[in-house]
Amino acid sequence: MIKIKNATFVLSAPSIEETVANDVSEIAFIGRSNVGKSSIINALTNKKGLAKSSSTPGKTRLINFFDITFEKDENDYRARLVDLPGFGYARVSKSMKHEWQRNLTEFIKKRSSIRVFVHLIDSRHPSLEIDKEVSAYLQEICRADQEIIVFFTKADKLKQKDVSALKKIYPTAHLVSSSNGRGITGAIEKIFVSLFGSNV
Ligand SMILES: Nc1nc2c(ncn2[C@@H]2O[C@H](COP(=O)(O)OP(=O)(O)O)[C@@H](O)[C@H]2O)c(=O)[nH]1
Ligand SMILES: [Mg+2]
């Protein structure tokens, strides 16, 4: 069994120039505003309020860093979670939005310590254009030492028939719910294996 036993907030950075040293393998959470990025960070770390969650879309435009320690078979593995600002409808002017989007894509491309991209998709809206764009973008920039994982959020909102419909489109879909904990242990394992392999 793998768990995350420590999680601490490191820094909120407004731009790539003001971030922490890239000395630890990082897991970057990406997805549109309100998809549940901050909530899943709190669920994975089992720390309510670690990442600020908000019901106002597009409010957080900072890059937030959290140092974590995985524990497996009594060994510790350090890593860092990166809560990225939401892609899509940030509530700012068009020019600022453009500026910000560029800042974010620049960060994603330049940040050499990112090993895993976790693309979060709202399980109730699995086929939005914005997610297709994010997915295509990630595949385009993903380096050989990086992996992309997709989780479908807010699974607690789905009826069984919705789950079946989702699995028809994405047979291997990993559903998570930060509200009721569904899929969270499995999500921790997937992230750990992507970072450190399955043989450690
Ligand atoms: N029902 C349900 N609501 C969720 C879940 N995860 C997040 N939310 C809600 O969705 C809203 C946005 O969540 P947040 O984590 O701030 O999204 P972010 O903008 O991607 O960081 C908040 O009102 C959360 O309470 C979930 O698993 N289930
Ligand atoms: Mg957030």
Side-chain angles (χ1 to χ4, degrees):
M1 157 119 171
I2 302 163
K3 62 177 188 179
I4 295 175
K5 65 171 187 180
N6 288 317
T8 54
F9 170 75
V10 185
L11 182 85
S12 283
S15 74
I16 183 158
E17 285 82 27
E18 294 163 62
T19 55
V20 284
N22 55 4
D23 53 347
V24 181
S25 293
E26 293 178 329
I27 305 118
F29 291 80
I30 187 162
R32 67 195 183 91
S33 295
N34 227 32
V35 71
K37 290 181 297 297
S38 300
S39 300
I40 199 176
I41 287 178
N42 294 338
L44 293 168
T45 58
N46 196 20
K47 263 194 166 178
K48 282 198 180 76
L50 180 67
K52 298 281 174 290
S53 161
S54 142
S55 52
T56 314
K59 246 189 132 184
T60 38
R61 296 197 297 118
L62 298 168
I63 304 164
N64 296 306
F65 296 86
F66 305 92
D67 279 349
I68 60 166
T69 307
F70 288 95
E71 187 185 272
K72 188 190 179 197
D73 303 333
E74 288 172 32
N75 291 313
D76 288 352
Y77 301 84
R78 291 183 55 219
R80 187 175 291 140
L81 306 179
V82 184
D83 187 6
L84 293 172
F87 254 97
Y89 42 77
R91 279 203 185 152
V92 289
S93 70
K94 267 214 167 122
S95 62
M96 261 190 78
K97 191 166 165 177
H98 189 74
E99 169 74 24
W100 177 248
Q101 215 86 306
R102 216 183 47 215
N103 198 356
L104 178 58
T105 47
E106 190 190 20
F107 174 83
I108 291 170
K109 252 196 207 155
K110 285 192 183 161
R111 187 80 181 164
S112 57
S113 42
I114 297 176
R115 291 284 174 276
V116 178
F117 292 105
V118 175
H119 179 190
L120 299 179
I121 298 176
D122 191 324
S123 61
R124 297 166 301 175
H125 313 287
S127 304
L128 295 180
E129 202 50 45
I130 180 76
D131 284 312
K132 289 178 185 158
E133 283 170 24
V134 170
S135 179
Y137 170 73
L138 287 178
Q139 280 168 40
E140 181 192 318
I141 58 129
C142 193
R143 302 185 312 253
D145 65 341
Q146 293 177 319
E147 266 189 54
I148 304 164
I149 299 179
V150 179
F151 293 140
F152 291 86
T153 63
K154 308 193 185 185
D156 56 286
K157 298 262 195 184
L158 294 192
K159 304 252 185 335
Q160 191 48 50
K161 69 170 178 15
D162 304 322
V163 175
S164 308
L166 181 73
K167 296 239 166 168
K168 267 211 177 114
I169 318 174
Y170 304 98
T172 59
H174 186 99
L175 285 146
V176 294
S177 167
S178 302
S179 298
N180 68 15
R182 174 173 179 178
I184 295 297
T185 307
I188 293 173
E189 285 179 6
K190 268 185 191 282
I191 292 170
F192 181 89
V193 168
S194 292
L195 279 178
F196 303 107
S198 47
N199 299 321
V200 300

